Amino acid sequence: MPRGALRVWGKRRGGPRTQVPPQVRARVIALTRMSPPAESGLSHWSTRTLADHLKRREGISVSWHYVARIWREENLKPHRSGTFKISKDPAFADKVADVVGLYLAPPGGAVVLSIDEKTQVQALDRTQPVLPVTFAATEKRTHDYVRHGTTNLFAALNVTTGEVLGECRPNRNGATFLAFLKRAAKPHTGKEIHIVLDNLSTHTTPDVKAWLAKNPHVHFHFTPVGSSWLNQIEIWFGIIARQSIRRGTFANVNVLVKQIRDYIDSWNENAKPFIWTATTDEILVKVRLVQTSVKKLVNNNAK
């Protein structure tokens, strides 16, 4: 055999890749977008359960790797879930326009505050010490915990500056809300103050209405019923929960309150406002799409 020549000892390892018919791919996508059959007892599909269902119930043999590839290509994520709620507020569109208008074009010289309460924040303590992060090991904590009481976090976000005023109280009622409202408004005396808040009954007590009548420079803007997500302070509540509270270990409520105060102080050292980009029209279009999808599902289930 000449030097440098290649010698072929046999066929290439492995057989040719089997081509999956287009109708099988379509069936995988269609099933993924539907809930599993009631008799399966499944709440959602995984790649393995879907591949198993196709083989046992429909005589279609595909691997779970193939299902996973289809999910990646089609950006389907049945293993994940979210939440939603369609507001039934008859003034939904007007309220959205009112609040979003404050975010995108706040009145000149005025202050816009986003106010709400994060209720029943629990002081949870682990039954054993937390194991810190080490090389090749994550932080670990016991799965069980001891409850040491709760607190209620009142907070006001300055939409323009991103600064947060927070206060923890043992209870939540109209009196405590009014006391916090006065504290939040006091630094802005002499300015028009626009406050975004939700529809809790504590926000419209007779005492609160009387105070508003005496302070005509303070204006309330309510989010639509069932749409507190429109209130920017809810974004901040999510951040403090992830970064400070959820993984915290608190021997008592005082320790929890101190950590919340420390977090707020640290936040305000480098406060930055949230950049709101969604317009009223964009929000309304998305809501209408969800409403249409829900109506289709209800109609299909009724057949």
Side-chain angles (χ1 to χ4, degrees), residues 193-205:
I193 304 174
H194 297 268
I195 298 177
V196 178
L197 66 172
D198 62 21
N199 298 271
L200 284 174
S201 58
T202 53
H203 298 164
T204 55
T205 63

Side-chain angles (χ1 to χ4, degrees), residues 7 10 17 24 32 46 67 80 88-89 91 193 208 225 246:
R7 184 174 181 179
R17 178 176 294 179
V24 172
T32 302
S46 70
V67 175
R80 301 182 62 180
K88 297 182 179 180
D89 194 325
I193 304 174
V208 171
V225 175
R246 191 171 299 157

Side-chain angles (χ1 to χ4, degrees), residues 115 154-156 165-167 175-185:
I115 293 180
F154 292 74
L165 172 68
E167 182 178 284
T176 51
F177 171 73
L178 180 57
F180 179 75
L181 178 63
K182 292 177 180 178
R183 183 184 172 195

Side-chain angles (χ1 to χ4, degrees), residues 138-166:
T138 60
E139 179 184 272
K140 293 182 175 63
R141 56 178 51 78
T142 59
H143 67 278
D144 54 344
Y145 48 81
V146 179
R147 293 186 175 92
H148 291 296
T150 62
T151 189
N152 299 282
L153 172 59
F154 292 74
L157 169 74
N158 188 317
V159 172
T160 302
T161 66
E163 293 178 310
V164 173
L165 172 68

Side-chain angles (χ1 to χ4, degrees), residues 49-62:
T49 56
L50 181 54
D52 180 66
H53 172 83
L54 285 168
K55 183 177 181 179
R56 291 193 297 116
R57 303 300 183 187
E58 302 187 16
I60 299 174
S61 182
V62 294

